[in-house]
Amino acid sequence: MSVSSASPPVLIIEDEPQIRRLLQLTLESNGFRVHQASSGGDGLARSATDRPEAVVLDLGLPDMDGIEVLKQIRSRSTVPVLILSVRNSEQDVISCLNAGADDYLMKPFRQGELVARVKAAIRHRQQPETRGAIIAGPVTVDLDARVVKRRGEIVRLTGTEYALLALFVRNAGRVLTHRYILEQVWGPAYAEESQYTRVYVGQLRKKLEDDPANPQLIVTESGIGYRFAV
Amino acid sequence: MDFPEDNRPDPDALLQSIRRTEETESKAKLKIFFGMSAGVGKTYDMLKAAHDAKAHGIDVVVGIVETHGRSETEALLEGLVILPRKTVEYRGTRIDEMDIDAILARRPKLVLVDELAHTNAPGSRHAKRYMDVGEILDSGIDVYSTLNVQHIESRADAVAQITGTVVRETVPDSILERADEVELIDISPDELLARLAEGKVYSPDRSKKAVESFFRLGNLTALREMSLRLTAERVDRQLRDYMRTNRIPGPWKSGQRLLVGMSGSPHSVHLIRWARRMAFTLDASWLAVHVESSATPSQAEKDLLAKNIKLARELGAEIVTTADENVGDALIRVARQENCTQILIGKPRPGTFQKSARLLQELIDKSGDLDVHVIGGEGDAKPGRRLASLLEAHSGVRQYIGAGAVPLLVAAACFPLKDLIEYQTVSLILLFTVALLPLRFGMGPVLLAAAMSAIAWDFLFIPPVFTFSVSRVPDILMLLMYFCIALVLGVLTSRTRAQERAVRIREGRAVALYTLSRDLSLARTKDAVAEAAVANIKKFFDADVVLCLGQTDGDIFTAPHPASTLAVTGKDLSVAAWVYWNEKQAGRFTDTLPSASATYYPMSGPRYPLGVLGVSLKGDAKLSIDQETLLENFIRQIASAVERETLNDITKKAVVVEESEKLYKTLFNSISHEMRTPLSAIIGASETLLDDAVSERASTRHELTREIHDAAARLNRLVENLLDMTRLESGLIRPKLEWCDVRDLINSAVAKTAAELSGFRVGIDTPGDILLIRIDFALMEQVLTNLLLNASFYTPAGSEILVRAAGDGNECEITVADNGPGLPPDALEKVFDKFFRVPGSRTGGTGLGLSIARGFVEAHRGTIKAENRPGGGLRFVIRLPLEKYPVPESR
């Protein structure tokens, strides 16, 4: 794994000083440089001047809606954005993910999880086009040759199943909302047909997972969507 | 009828008197300066009284005063606050009217309103000024006003008789009763005439004309007597009231009750006024009864009847409408039902087929102990006109032509066959035709048809044909018999049919009321009551309805109820608001705000108004009298249903408040303990950690950090439980349903509780294939998490926890089972109660987890229950409805 500089800058937009301090401690001890902003306005300014490689954005800001901050960042930059949220606000998280956020974390979260997510987000930004063979657990996916193997044996997938798997593989490590998956694989008209993803994810798991009842590759993110683990 | 045996005041009367006193004390006061005619100095005296009041520091304003250019009066206006008038545009002319809104906004203590009987310009809020005064009084402002005797409703026709002038501007007698003080401004007719001559009343040329027409000495003397008597009657009544309240023995006249029969005849007006005067003198209550019969009244009669009913109501009568073919029977029946002691009816007039005379005779025969008064008329309609109107009134000319034509046509049709069939047979065919006619026509037309058929038979069939002469004696007899039979047949069948129709109408009303009351009693919420009300009115009146319900706390509505079928504009809403606050009918076809698109009726409640109901018949028609009566019954029923539900709501609210208070207490006790425990662990452990001496030892540091972590996790669980509970309690839970794989759900919940379940053997038994249910993933995951945590908490470490899911086509069943100690049977249901703890169970835990689980499951229209497993241990069973899902197309 490589990052662009020895200590990539990360911007934290969070109004609670205590959480900010904790995030700073955790991120700095893992080799990041931390910039802080305590409000949405401040955060927008700093996201332009400090050129962070990742932004950690809290949704409960005093001055403006988190999703508004996200949209304004997105309007001029592709910097990875991680959303911090609380339980019972899945809908806000989904809106943010659909509006271009890269990942999310529900408070309270484990610090190790945060570091891993930030790193994954930065890495993903730097390799936008995934090509060649990807290895995930027992499964190998060759996106060029359109071949999927499990423990060396070719797995036969239908067209839709392959399209779904390819989407997961290209976005490995990222959380994908049901809506996003439906729009990408089936088209915008199917954005509400959540049973499609359930059925096809079920089929994929049956074909790829060691224990389909306890999946390790395509992980369910409760109330949000799926994540392809690598 | 009970007459008081001793001098004890009748409790009802006493109560009424007390109520009257209370009302007058709390309500605004009305003082009327009362005189026999114009020019006696009422306005002058009123202004002087206003100056007196002002001198006593009372806030007086002039709402409207007409000085008619009289200089003495004008001088008195100086020094008083005069509110500007409102200009109303009507057909190009500008009319100055009193500005009632300005008065209500200004809120003086006392307002002067001249000429109480004045009729307002069209487009004003009320048709009459006395209605304005009523509203001003209702809002708590005292009023001084002026009034002449000729403007009093019950005296109007007497005045017309004396002076020959028909008075159009009248006020109901009730306004005099409402007045707290009536000051008679009395000068002798000679003096008045002298003042007229001096030009103090009118300008000289008008004075001359006035003296010639209205202000004749004879007229004035009569008017003066009338006004003196009226005032005396009032004083007499006050005295009686006083005597009654203070137990002064005297001639008790209470207990009398009058009944006056009225119809759509112009004669009834006189009768009603008579009844009112008599009732007043006797200090009796009175009712005006209208008896509907099968005869269809003409439009003119209907209008007149409506006017008569309105008049009777204004004069203070109770209105009763009943249906009966026999007017006499109906009057006696109502009189007995309503405990009346005297019946008033009009004198029979000539040329009415002796019908009225028969009515009178019957009434007297059957009246028993009831007194019957027969009141004479005041000039009759011309006889010729009467007959025509009688024919028209009942059936209309067209009906007669139609009914008369039918037998002629039948006879003509039979004519070619007269050689085949005997002429006697033809008579039977014609009789049959006459017998059928009442199905379509009224009694009059049928009688005409009977006569026509006899003539046609004679002319066309009885030999010699084409003559009216009959040669043979049997034929003469037959013709006579035929004529009699046809008439009797016509009368009998008409009458039967009429009765049948009356019964049907009555039945229809009964059914309507029954249906409404059934629907209303089935309604369990205010909204359901509203829907039932609107639907029934729509059904039985074929009308569009707008219903506005007040708030539970009596505050006014902001918008019509969504069940309303009539879309109304802001203007109509303000009419409805007026009706709501004033609790009086207004809108279309009334005197108040008639430009509205519907008629609005108030629904009154015991403490504050309940709402307003607006009705607009299809085609902008007016309600007929019986429809109006039925609607009033409807509204009364609807109001009581609304009231019932309002009280219900209030009770429910009270229960909720009580429960939430209880909850709050329990919550407080439980939470303070539950929060303090982990908090003290965190604070204690972190303080120790900050102590360098201790924290140097790695193992201690690790242990303390674990303590902090565990306590924080516990605190977190508590907070999440509280948040979930709050969401449930506030009713904000709206599951966002999505298709989910049950296996995903279980895996996710087990993964989330991995730390707590680490010491247990966890088994998952899920179907091999995908099982989709439509749920809110996050909520159901929380349910399972709570059940798993519950199992981990109350069963010994090392126990087995088994999660199973299975679907059977209709239902998905998820069970979480353990092999712990189970529950006492009586606790199986109670575990779902908030803060319930099984006696003797381990401390810790919020007592909310299972309650939340049940709340969430029920939000999904599912069920959850706890049961002891046969082999030991506890099992929670969740059942959720399974839906068919559209299978995605494969590509």
Side-chain angles (χ1 to χ4, degrees):
Chain A
M1 173 190 318
S2 72
V3 282
S4 62
S5 59
S7 47
V10 174
L11 173 63
I12 300 169
I13 309 177
E14 159 72 73
D15 60 319
E16 289 288 344
Q18 202 171 7
I19 304 284
R20 236 171 27 231
R21 269 205 304 277
L22 187 64
L23 290 174
Q24 185 186 11
L25 260 171
T26 315
L27 287 172
E28 278 181 355
S29 62
N30 280 282
F32 293 95
R33 236 174 335 121
V34 174
H35 300 282
Q36 298 183 20
S38 58
S39 68
D42 193 14
L44 280 174
R46 282 180 171 278
S47 74
T49 56
D50 294 348
R51 304 198 155 272
E53 286 188 30
V55 175
V56 178
L57 170 65
D58 183 64
L59 283 189
L61 290 174
D63 59 336
M64 55 200 289
D65 241 347
I67 190 158
E68 205 39 56
V69 179
L70 170 72
K71 281 180 181 164
Q72 292 200 24
I73 292 177
R74 270 287 160 270
S75 68
R76 52 176 193 239
S77 155
T78 57
V79 61
V81 177
L82 257 98
I83 299 296
L84 291 188
S85 177
V86 290
R87 205 167 67 80
N88 293 337
S89 52
E90 285 84 359
Q91 290 312 313
D92 297 339
V93 171
I94 291 173
S95 315
C96 284
L97 290 172
N98 287 335
D102 291 68
D103 210 336
Y104 76 99
L105 279 171
M106 293 278 187
K107 288 182 191 174
F109 48 83
R110 291 190 297 117
Q111 302 299 306
E113 191 75 29
L114 170 79
V115 174
R117 296 287 174 86
V118 174
K119 281 183 176 165
I122 295 176
R123 189 180 56 225
H124 191 262
R125 277 293 154 187
Q126 287 170 347
Q127 306 170 311
E129 201 56 24
T130 313
R131 303 199 68 85
I134 312 292
I135 301 167
V139 178
T140 315
V141 184
D142 188 335
L143 289 175
D144 294 332
R146 293 176 68 98
V147 171
V148 180
K149 285 182 183 166
R150 185 171 168 274
R151 299 200 193 286
E153 278 178 44
I154 290 185
V155 183
R156 306 190 69 84
L157 296 179
T158 67
T160 310
E161 284 169 359
Y162 180 78
L164 183 60
L165 182 62
L167 182 72
F168 277 134
V169 168
R170 282 198 199 96
N171 294 286
R174 280 183 74 194
V175 60
L176 303 179
T177 65
H178 294 298
R179 190 187 185 86
Y180 180 76
I181 298 171
L182 286 162
E183 282 177 355
Q184 293 296 314
V185 178
W186 281 272
Y190 293 84
E192 301 301 325
E193 310 287 330
S194 59
Q195 78 277 16
Y196 285 26
T197 56
R198 315 290 176 179
V199 170
Y200 278 91
V201 166
Q203 289 175 8
L204 274 180
R205 281 173 176 168
K206 215 158 143 190
K207 290 180 178 177
L208 302 177
E209 298 271 3
D210 283 338
D211 177 8
N214 190 15
Q216 305 296 320
L217 284 177
I218 306 171
V219 184
T220 304
E221 293 283 322
S222 26
I224 310 278
Y226 294 103
R227 184 197 300 274
F228 191 76
V230 280
Chain B
M1 182 56 41
D2 294 338
F3 284 91
E5 287 166 329
D6 47 53
N7 291 339
R8 230 162 4 124
D10 175 6
D12 282 342
L14 200 61
L15 199 64
Q16 207 177 351
S17 176
I18 291 170
R19 216 175 275 152
R20 213 173 290 164
T21 322
E22 272 178 2
E23 269 175 20
T24 44
E25 271 168 9
S26 60
K27 264 194 193 162
K29 292 188 168 45
L30 170 65
K31 178 170 181 173
I32 294 177
F33 294 82
F34 184 60
M36 61 176 170
S37 74
V40 295
K42 300 179 299 294
T43 307
Y44 182 85
D45 278 23
M46 176 171 80
L47 286 171
K48 274 209 330 213
H51 277 284
D52 282 355
K54 199 185 165 206
H56 280 92
I58 291 172
D59 182 19
V60 188
V61 302
V62 175
I64 192 158
V65 163
E66 305 285 357
T67 57
H68 298 289
R70 295 165 200 163
S71 52
E72 291 170 16
T73 318
E74 256 164 21
L76 274 176
L77 268 178
E78 262 174 49
L80 291 176
V81 181
I82 303 172
L83 289 183
R85 299 183 186 188
K86 193 161 103 182
T87 310
V88 182
E89 287 259 4
Y90 182 65
R91 292 191 186 158
T93 39
R94 295 160 73 83
I95 305 168
D96 278 350
E97 287 291 356
M98 182 174 78
D99 189 348
I100 176 169
D101 288 317
I103 295 171
L104 295 178
R106 167 74 169 71
R107 293 208 64 80
K109 178 78 186 74
L110 171 66
V111 62
L112 308 188
V113 181
D114 209 3
E115 295 185 4
L116 192 56
H118 173 80
T119 301
N120 287 335
S124 307
R125 182 185 308 173
H126 298 289
K128 299 278 192 172
R129 184 171 290 163
Y130 74 82
M131 297 174 176
D132 289 340
V133 166
E135 195 177 336
I136 294 172
L137 289 168
D138 284 345
S139 75
I141 300 170
D142 292 347
V143 177
Y144 281 2
S145 192
T146 63
L147 183 68
N148 287 333
V149 67
Q150 81 239 33
H151 294 302
I152 291 182
E153 183 65 63
S154 65
R155 313 287 147 144
D157 48 340
V159 171
Q161 271 176 359
I162 295 166
T163 63
T165 319
V166 177
V167 182
R168 293 239 153 65
E169 299 194 323
T170 57
V171 297
D173 294 48
S174 53
I175 197 88
L176 268 191
E177 273 160 49
R178 170 115 194 225
D180 301 87
E181 209 179 320
V182 175
E183 189 173 323
L184 180 67
I185 314 298
D186 183 41
I187 57 173
S188 71
D190 293 327
E191 199 180 330
L192 177 59
L193 288 173
R195 288 179 63 178
L196 268 169
E198 285 167 30
K200 280 182 177 170
V201 180
Y202 296 124
S203 56
D205 55 323
R206 275 192 73 196
S207 285
K208 197 160 168 258
K209 222 183 253 169
V211 173
E212 278 164 10
S213 59
F214 190 83
F215 289 87
R216 282 179 308 213
L217 190 60
N219 282 357
L220 289 179
T221 313
L223 288 173
R224 186 183 187 201
E225 200 222 309
M226 204 183 285
S227 56
L228 283 168
R229 202 157 79 188
L230 207 89
T231 321
E233 272 173 10
R234 207 184 125 82
V235 172
D236 194 33
R237 192 190 168 102
Q238 281 168 344
L239 178 69
R240 265 208 310 270
D241 249 12
Y242 176 80
M243 283 162 69
R244 195 179 293 171
T245 337
N246 296 285
R247 297 192 181 197
I248 297 167
W252 295 109
K253 279 193 186 176
S254 66
Q256 293 288 327
R257 197 156 153 82
L258 267 53
L259 180 152
V260 59
M262 63 177 168
S263 67
S265 128
H267 186 53
S268 289
V269 179
H270 177 68
L271 194 59
I272 289 164
R273 287 186 176 146
W274 223 100
R276 144 81 206 180
R277 279 202 295 275
M278 193 163 154
F280 190 83
T281 327
L282 287 175
D283 193 15
S285 57
W286 61 297
L287 32 135
V289 179
H290 165 62
V291 183
E292 283 174 10
S293 72
S294 55
T296 343
S298 69
Q299 192 54 46
E301 275 183 311
K302 275 189 205 161
D303 290 349
L304 206 51
L305 179 62
K307 233 184 229 168
N308 288 343
I309 288 180
K310 194 165 161 249
L311 173 70
R313 192 172 280 143
E314 267 171 17
L315 290 178
E318 274 171 60
I319 310 296
V320 175
T321 307
T322 181
D324 204 310
E325 279 307 296
N326 188 320
V327 178
D329 283 353
L331 291 182
I332 301 264
R333 191 182 68 230
V334 175
R336 300 240 184 262
Q337 276 168 3
E338 297 284 332
N339 283 329
C340 295
T341 50
Q342 314 200 9
I343 295 178
L344 276 73
I345 59 163
K347 201 183 210 171
R349 26 213 50 229
T352 48
F353 288 136
Q354 300 303 308
K355 206 173 154 195
S356 306
R358 209 171 57 232
L359 157 71
L360 181 57
Q361 194 54 50
E362 265 180 25
L363 199 58
I364 290 168
D365 288 348
K366 293 178 185 165
S367 58
D369 57 344
L370 295 168
D371 296 341
V372 178
H373 302 256
V374 183
I375 312 300
E378 24 142 14
D380 287 324
K382 291 184 185 83
R385 163 97 190 85
R386 269 213 77 73
L387 194 64
S389 75
L390 192 83
L391 291 175
E392 263 172 48
H394 282 258
S395 295
V397 183
R398 246 198 252 160
Q399 283 231 326
Y400 281 92
I401 296 171
V406 171
L408 295 183
L409 288 175
V410 173
C414 289
F415 188 69
L417 305 172
K418 76 175 165 49
D419 295 331
L420 266 175
I421 49 177
E422 291 279 317
Y423 66 88
Q424 288 94 332
T425 321
V426 174
S427 77
L428 287 178
I429 294 173
L430 286 171
L431 268 183
F432 178 65
T433 313
V434 171
L436 285 182
L437 284 176
L439 291 178
R440 182 75 188 74
F441 300 99
M443 170 123 56
V446 171
L447 291 179
L448 177 74
M452 293 303 286
S453 71
I455 292 166
W457 185 46
D458 176 17
F459 190 73
L460 292 178
F461 297 98
I462 300 178
V465 184
F466 297 128
T467 60
F468 286 109
S469 61
V470 182
S471 50
R472 298 197 313 145
V473 176
D475 285 350
I476 295 174
L477 264 178
M478 207 143 56
L479 182 61
L480 272 177
M481 285 309 291
Y482 175 87
F483 194 69
C484 293
I485 292 172
L487 282 184
V488 169
L489 200 61
V491 169
L492 284 183
T493 42
S494 302
R495 185 172 286 178
T496 317
R497 227 179 73 75
Q499 272 165 355
E500 184 196 322
R501 221 178 54 192
V503 167
R504 238 195 346 258
I505 289 172
R506 252 190 314 226
E507 222 167 59
R509 267 183 228 165
V511 165
L513 276 172
Y514 168 74
T515 317
L516 176 75
S517 73
R518 189 200 55 200
D519 289 358
L520 288 177
S521 67
L522 286 178
R524 278 286 150 264
T525 62
K526 241 184 185 178
D527 288 342
V529 167
E531 274 157 27
V534 171
N536 274 287
I537 294 176
K538 206 173 155 46
K539 183 160 115 200
F540 290 109
F541 293 88
D542 192 24
D544 280 325
V545 185
V546 52
L547 180 65
C548 306
L549 293 180
Q551 314 276 341
T552 310
D553 57 4
D555 214 356
I556 191 164
F557 48 83
T558 48
H561 192 275
S564 307
T565 54
L566 181 69
V568 290
T569 57
K571 190 183 171 191
D572 266 54
L573 266 188
S574 62
V575 177
W578 187 90
V579 171
Y580 185 81
W581 288 127
N582 291 277
E583 300 200 53
K584 280 180 195 133
Q585 192 179 331
R588 196 106 183 81
F589 305 118
T590 68
D591 292 331
T592 309
L593 304 160
S595 59
S597 55
T599 318
Y600 290 89
Y601 300 85
M603 291 193 287
S604 303
R607 277 176 299 167
Y608 31 69
L610 294 167
V612 174
L613 196 123
V615 175
S616 163
L617 285 196
K618 295 270 158 66
D620 198 27
K622 197 179 168 186
L623 284 172
S624 68
I625 313 288
D626 41 328
Q627 277 179 318
E628 189 95 21
T629 319
L630 184 63
L631 183 64
E632 273 170 22
N633 282 326
F634 263 52
I635 289 172
R636 231 168 310 181
Q637 284 209 13
I638 293 165
S640 73
V642 170
E643 188 195 331
R644 180 191 74 206
E645 289 310 320
T646 306
L647 291 177
N648 238 342
D649 286 354
I650 292 171
T651 321
K652 265 189 218 152
K653 234 184 223 171
V655 171
V656 169
V657 167
E658 196 181 308
E659 265 191 0
S660 58
E661 269 171 13
K662 210 170 89 192
L663 178 71
Y664 177 76
K665 263 186 208 152
T666 328
L667 191 79
F668 196 77
N669 292 338
S670 164
I671 298 310
S672 58
H673 171 81
E674 280 303 309
M675 281 197 165
R676 280 203 185 112
T677 314
L679 276 176
S680 31
I682 292 171
I683 293 170
S686 50
E687 266 174 4
T688 320
L689 269 180
L690 287 172
D691 184 348
D692 292 338
V694 183
S695 61
E696 267 172 28
R697 275 210 313 279
S699 64
T700 319
R701 204 170 60 221
H702 188 263
E703 223 167 281
L704 286 171
T705 316
R706 171 133 308 274
E707 276 306 317
I708 294 175
H709 181 264
D710 288 353
R714 182 171 167 186
L715 206 51
N716 183 45
R717 261 205 313 280
L718 174 70
V719 170
E720 306 227 309
N721 269 341
L722 283 175
L723 286 175
D724 284 341
M725 203 67 228
T726 320
R727 281 208 298 165
L728 263 178
E729 297 277 314
S730 64
L732 284 177
I733 294 283
R734 300 259 185 286
K736 191 179 178 296
L737 299 182
E738 274 189 324
W739 292 103
C740 301
D741 190 345
V742 175
R743 299 176 303 176
D744 260 5
L745 178 73
I746 292 174
N747 285 329
S748 189
V750 171
K752 282 219 162 153
T753 48
E756 286 83 355
L757 294 177
S758 57
F760 296 85
R761 285 175 290 141
V762 181
I764 300 176
D765 175 12
T766 47
D769 207 358
I770 186 168
L771 177 57
L772 285 191
I773 45 175
R774 239 163 90 77
I775 51 167
D776 183 314
F777 194 94
L779 289 187
M780 281 312 290
E781 186 189 63
Q782 192 59 44
V783 170
L784 290 183
T785 310
N786 284 2
L787 295 181
L788 288 169
L789 288 177
N790 187 70
S792 75
F793 199 77
Y794 292 106
T795 53
S799 310
E800 186 178 33
I801 298 171
L802 182 67
V803 189
R804 259 188 93 249
D808 71 344
N810 290 322
E811 262 186 344
C812 172
E813 188 181 275
I814 305 172
T815 55
V816 177
D818 62 47
N819 59 356
L823 280 177
D826 61 326
L828 285 173
E829 186 53 36
K830 282 193 199 149
V831 283
F832 294 106
D833 289 352
K834 272 174 292 210
F835 303 114
F836 174 81
R837 295 180 155 282
V838 179
S841 67
R842 133 179 200 204
T843 60
T846 53
L848 288 171
L850 293 180
S851 176
I852 292 166
R854 169 163 278 186
F856 284 0
V857 170
E858 285 175 353
H860 283 85
R861 291 182 294 124
T863 60
I864 179 170
K865 63 175 181 189
E867 52 193 36
N868 284 318
R869 297 170 75 189
L874 186 66
R875 171 166 64 193
F876 287 97
V877 183
I878 302 168
R879 289 208 172 82
L880 294 167
L882 265 187
E883 292 172 49
K884 289 245 178 310
Y885 58 91
V887 183
E889 54 216 78
S890 192
R891 272 189 282 157

